[in-house]
């Protein structure tokens, strides 16, 4: 039981030794909820979901705390809400719900904790006050800035020299900065702009301070793993290290820094700004497969490339994933009458995951078990292989659909062609209720007949009308 992980901070694969095996902590930077997630944003969610499952497998469910935050304070959110003419709360609520639905379709389990930045503003103000008191931050024209020269180790995580840091951070030229590399901890919100009262006037936090404060609130000053996409190494994570190490008594902060590579399209990072993105929702909707099945196919694609390497999104990749999953489900179907040996652990799969989360090899192992099961003749052997297949698939978050759903494969397009989606049926029932209230029985009967013709049976009761498909 030894997990090895590539630690960005050390630039090498290290053996993972938790501070306390009874209390393993992992913090991963979550979404900024201003717009729907694209499949690139889903890559870290799926990768760290597998890492969380592996940690739970090794240390026990009750000994792992996985925290993934929601960034619901950020200038893109203010702009996004203004553009759509809705409130910030409406936008962040809607986007968060959409994110949860999209990630659930990809088989991503909810983390143990999901703090929101707006719930931690007081903690941010306090950490900024501490940084000022310790001489690591200063106030200038309503802003509070972190003083980069006050921290000799700044740049160590990302390994950048000073010029690269200034260039890479695209640090805005601001006359009030004492040093061009200094970054914002707090900024003013003039007029009726969204903000909170603070010792420096009404304002809002910078993005980096949010994660320093939320990770401390949920996991303490020092914890085991900090993750995110590799675009976050600089400046976001470098700045988190600076803030946390300078403000906290314990200078350890995160011990293992784990970063996933980019999902690309034609070799270019998928991003909102380049416009080369597919949202998870669009991908799920463009297939005729049931949502959970489609989600598993995309999850398989995301796991089929080493997490540190670039993953180029292609139709072929999706087709391969679908075929591989089909091999697994076909084996499970052939084993349908066999009682799985539940004492089996997913040894081979675990072995590869322990090796710096080698998901492509873990998937190969799973398919090898499926093929072996197809050939097995002996009942004990079948039970053993079914047990292994199910345990390995669970660890990877795959083969979680029913056999019926997988082999049915497609949504009932007949319903969609008739316009009779679940929502459509509910709307017709509402219209029928209204017609009955208005004593328009002809229309009410017409709706009942229309639904009956489409195979929808209505059941009236004093509590209202329910329906089922015939
Ligand atoms: P954001 O909502 O933009 O803050 O991004 C959420 C997460 O998605 C971060 O961990 C990013 O590093 C990650 N991310 C964004 N684009 C990509 C991409 N093309 N490939 C992989 N990860 C990405
Ligand atoms: Zn973060």
């Amino acid at each position: 039981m030894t997990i090895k992980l590539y630690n960005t901070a050390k630039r090498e694969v290290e053996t993972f030794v938790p501070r306390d095996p009874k209390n393993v902590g992992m913090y991963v930077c979550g979404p900024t909820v201003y717009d729907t997630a694209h499949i690139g944003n889903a890559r870290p969610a799926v990768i760290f979901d597998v890492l969380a499952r592996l940690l739970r497998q090794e240390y026990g469910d009750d000994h792992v705390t996985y925290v993934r935050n929601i960034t619901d304070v950020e200038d893109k959110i203010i702009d996004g809400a203004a553009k759509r003419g809705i409130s910030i709360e409406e936008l962040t609520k809607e986007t968060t719900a959409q994110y949860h639905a999209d990630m659930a379709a990809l088989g991503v389990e909810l983390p143990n904790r999901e703090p929101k930045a707006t719930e931690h503003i007081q903690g941010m103000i306090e950490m900024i006050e501490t940084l000022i008191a310790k001489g690591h931050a200063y106030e200038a024209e309503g802003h509070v800035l972190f003083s980069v020269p006050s921290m000799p180790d700044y740049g160590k995580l990302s390994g950048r020299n000073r010029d690269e840091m200034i260039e890479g951070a695209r640090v805005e030229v601001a006359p009030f900065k004492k040093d061009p590399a200094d970054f914002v901890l707090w900024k003013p919100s003039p007029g009726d702009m969204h903000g909170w009262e603070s010792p420096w006037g009404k304002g809002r936090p910078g993005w980096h301070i949010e994660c320093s404060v939320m990770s401390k609130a949920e996991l303490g000053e020092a914890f085991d793993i900090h993750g995110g996409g590799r675009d976050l190494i600089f400046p976001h994570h470098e700045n988190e290290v600076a803030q946390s190490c300078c403000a906290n008594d314990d200078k350890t902060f995160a011990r293992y820094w784990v970063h996933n590579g980019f999902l690309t399209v034609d070799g270019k990072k998928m991003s909102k700004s380049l416009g080369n993105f597919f949202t998870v929702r669009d991908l799920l909707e463009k297939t005729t497969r049931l949502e959970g099945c489609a989600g598993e196919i995309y999850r398989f694609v995301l796991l089929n490339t080493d997490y540190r390497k670039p993953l180029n999104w292609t139709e072929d990749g999706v087709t391969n994933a679908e075929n591989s999953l089909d091999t697994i489900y076909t084996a499970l179907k052939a084993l349908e009458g066999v009682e799985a040996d539940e004492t089996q652990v997913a040894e081979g799969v675990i072995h590869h995951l322990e090796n710096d989360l080698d998901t492509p090899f873990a998937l190969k192992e799973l398919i090898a078990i499926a093929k072996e099961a197809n050939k097995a003749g002996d009942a004990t052997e079948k039970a053993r292989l079914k047990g292994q297949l199910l345990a390995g698939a669970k660890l990877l978050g795959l083969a979680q659909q029913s056999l019926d759903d997988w082999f049915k494969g497609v949504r009932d397009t007949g319903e969609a062609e008739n316009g009779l989606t679940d929502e459509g049926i509910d709307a017709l029932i509402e219209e029928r209720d209204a017609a009955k209230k208005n004593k328009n029985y002809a229309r009410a009967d017409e709706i009942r007949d229309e639904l009956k013709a489409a195979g929808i049976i209505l059941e009236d009761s004093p509590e209202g009308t329910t329906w089922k498909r015939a």
Side-chain angles (χ1 to χ4, degrees), residues 154-187:
Y154 185 87
K156 207 171 155 201
L157 174 72
S158 58
R160 291 188 183 217
N161 67 35
R162 195 179 149 74
D163 287 347
E164 286 169 332
M165 279 179 326
I166 294 170
E167 159 101 8
R170 272 184 247 106
V171 181
E172 52 178 305
V173 187
F176 48 81
K177 278 189 189 177
K178 290 187 185 163
D179 185 284
D182 293 351
F183 60 88
V184 165
L185 300 171
W186 188 264
K187 49 191 159 188

Side-chain angles (χ1 to χ4, degrees), residues 29-32 34 38 40-44 76 207 228-232 260-264 269-271:
C29 296
T32 302
Y34 71 103
H38 59 61
N41 299 133
R43 193 175 188 194
K76 277 186 238 159
W207 171 35
R230 58 173 304 119
D231 52 337
L232 302 187
N260 65 272
F262 294 139
L263 188 139
T264 57
K269 180 191 173 197
M270 178 177 280
S271 73

Side-chain angles (χ1 to χ4, degrees), residues 27-30 69 71 207-212 214 226-228 232 236-237 240 257:
Y27 183 93
V28 174
C29 296
N69 74 290
T71 295
W207 171 35
H208 317 304
I209 195 75
E210 299 180 10
C211 286
S212 280
M214 286 186 275
H226 195 316
L232 302 187
H236 186 52
H237 290 165
E240 275 188 49
W257 286 86

Side-chain angles (χ1 to χ4, degrees), residues 265-285:
V265 180
D266 298 330
K268 290 202 183 70
K269 180 191 173 197
M270 178 177 280
S271 73
K272 289 268 159 72
S273 53
L274 283 178
N276 60 346
F277 64 90
F278 320 112
T279 65
V280 175
R281 196 43 42 191
D282 283 349
L283 285 170
L284 290 170
E285 282 173 7

Side-chain angles (χ1 to χ4, degrees), residues 64-76:
V64 176
T65 309
Y66 172 25
V67 183
R68 189 189 63 205
N69 74 290
I70 297 277
T71 295
D72 59 351
V73 185
E74 226 263 337
D75 288 358
K76 277 186 238 159

Side-chain angles (χ1 to χ4, degrees), residues 306-344:
D306 187 295
Y307 80 93
R308 286 198 280 137
K309 296 202 177 115
L311 188 175
N312 204 38
W313 192 262
T314 62
E315 279 301 320
D316 279 356
V318 177
T319 309
N320 278 340
E322 184 163 9
N323 292 339
S324 301
L325 275 172
D326 213 47
T327 305
I328 295 168
Y329 277 105
T330 303
L332 287 173
K333 189 155 182 66
L335 295 168
E336 219 177 346
V338 176
E339 188 128 351
D341 174 355
E342 290 189 3
T343 62
Q344 293 296 315

